[in-house]
């Protein structure tokens, strides 16, 4: 994985308008080189923004969390690959992952399997009908993703270390729910600091509100980058 901290920090553009997203990108300038576009922004022009970011030399993580029948997954992945984005998420169900891997063959698209959302805990999973607790389900899906040939996993940094042991060094381990030690958790239930996440085996950290809602976004981003750099050199 890259030793450049900027390649490992992904800023989430989880805002409602293109104007706000463009303002965030402009204010961060060359401090940030990797952005996540999710559902909120995708449906108001976010896919066009993805193309613009790629044209500007940035990396793009398209967080669509796809889940559908095999054919629909395959056709969606084929079109997304043509956008030229770097990463794409889908829920880590074996059939969906297998269809996506086949569709992405020959492209540079990194497919990421979403294991368990960081906003969910064991109680939430039980209410949703799952028998496994969060940690067990994450590891089960990591094994399936590695076997199927996915490019990486999305999980809480709390599970990054055992996931890294399962998937080896070549797969991405992308961890949302990252907060500074004095930061607010918000709606995240399984949060970890940047330095701990990196030392636990995370390849990429996804950070949204602590940067995009900061009064000084560049300074906020630099705080996260500093912790990544410190963890890398430890």
């Amino acid at each position: 994985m890259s030793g450049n901290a900027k390649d490992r920090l992904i800023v989430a553009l989880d805002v409602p308008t293109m104007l706000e997203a463009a303002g965030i990108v402009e204010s961060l300038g060359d401090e940030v080189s990797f952005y996540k576009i999710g559902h909120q922004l995708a449906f108001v022009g976010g896919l066009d923004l993805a193309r613009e970011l790629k044209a500007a030399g940035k990396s793009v993580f398209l967080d669509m969390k796809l889940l559908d029948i095999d054919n629909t997954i395959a056709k969606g992945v084929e079109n997304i690959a043509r956008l030229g984005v770097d990463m794409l998420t889908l829920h880590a169900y074996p059939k969906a992952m297998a269809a996506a891997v086949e569709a992405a063959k020959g492209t540079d698209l990194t497919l990421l399997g979403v294991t368990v959302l960081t906003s969910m805990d064991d109680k939430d999973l039980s209410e949703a009908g799952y028998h496994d607790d969060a940690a067990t389900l994450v590891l089960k899906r990591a094994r399936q993703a590695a076997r199927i040939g996915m490019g990486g996993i999305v999980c809480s940094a709390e599970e990054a270390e055992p996931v890294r042991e399962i998937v080896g060094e070549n797969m991405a381990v992308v961890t949302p729910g990252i907060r500074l030690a004095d930061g607010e958790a918000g709606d995240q239930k399984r949060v970890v600091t940047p330095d701990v996440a990196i030392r636990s085996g995370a390849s990429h950290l996804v950070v949204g509100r602590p940067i995009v809602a900061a009064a000084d976004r560049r300074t906020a981003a630099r705080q996260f980058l500093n912790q990544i750099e410190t963890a890398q050199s430890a």
Side-chain angles (χ1 to χ4, degrees):
M1 69 188 66
S2 170
N4 188 338
K6 289 184 180 180
D7 293 333
R8 304 181 72 172
L9 175 65
I10 304 175
V11 173
L13 296 174
D14 293 332
V15 292
T17 69
M18 287 283 284
L19 184 63
E20 289 175 79
I24 292 165
V25 173
E26 182 178 4
S27 65
L28 287 169
D30 59 4
E31 200 69 61
V32 170
S33 63
F34 212 146
Y35 288 97
K36 179 180 83 75
I37 294 173
H39 292 125
Q40 186 177 23
L41 194 61
F43 300 119
V44 292
L47 300 184
D48 290 332
L49 177 60
R51 295 184 182 93
E52 293 171 11
L53 289 170
K54 289 300 299 179
K58 305 291 187 181
S59 297
V60 176
F61 168 17
L62 194 59
D63 189 18
M64 292 290 97
K65 298 184 180 72
L66 302 179
L67 181 61
D68 213 308
I69 64 172
D70 298 359
N71 184 64
T72 300
I73 288 286
K75 297 305 181 184
V77 168
E78 287 172 4
N79 279 340
I80 290 168
R82 294 188 185 103
L83 285 175
V85 298
D86 301 271
M87 291 178 165
L88 169 70
T89 53
L90 57 147
H91 282 288
Y93 286 69
K95 282 174 62 64
M97 290 192 291
V101 166
E102 183 64 27
K105 279 184 178 177
T107 76
D108 294 326
L109 179 62
T110 297
L111 296 170
L112 303 173
V114 177
T115 54
V116 176
L117 299 176
T118 53
S119 61
M120 299 182 74
D121 57 18
D122 293 345
K123 181 174 181 292
D124 296 318
L125 288 175
S126 177
E127 290 178 348
Y130 289 93
H131 298 294
D132 292 329
D133 59 23
T136 301
L137 186 56
V138 167
L139 299 185
K140 178 185 292 184
R141 288 181 167 173
R143 291 186 190 95
Q144 292 168 334
R147 173 175 53 80
I148 290 167
M150 293 283 284
I153 282 293
V154 180
C155 65
S156 165
E158 289 184 357
E159 292 102 29
E161 187 169 358
V163 165
R164 176 59 71 195
E165 291 177 2
I166 289 169
V167 304
E169 291 302 315
N170 293 327
M171 286 178 66
V173 176
V174 180
T175 57
I178 303 298
R179 297 289 187 270
L180 297 175
D182 58 353
E184 294 183 3
D187 59 0
Q188 304 284 4
K189 293 185 177 179
R190 294 168 14 252
V191 300
V192 172
T193 57
D195 54 330
V196 171
I198 294 294
R199 289 197 297 269
S200 297
S203 61
H204 300 79
L205 312 184
V206 180
V207 181
R209 284 163 289 187
I211 293 177
V212 302
D216 185 339
R217 293 179 182 132
R218 288 179 68 92
T219 297
R222 175 42 56 188
Q223 288 180 294
F224 284 89
L225 291 167
N226 286 342
Q227 287 205 19
I228 293 173
E229 290 166 354
T230 298
Q232 288 181 156
S233 61

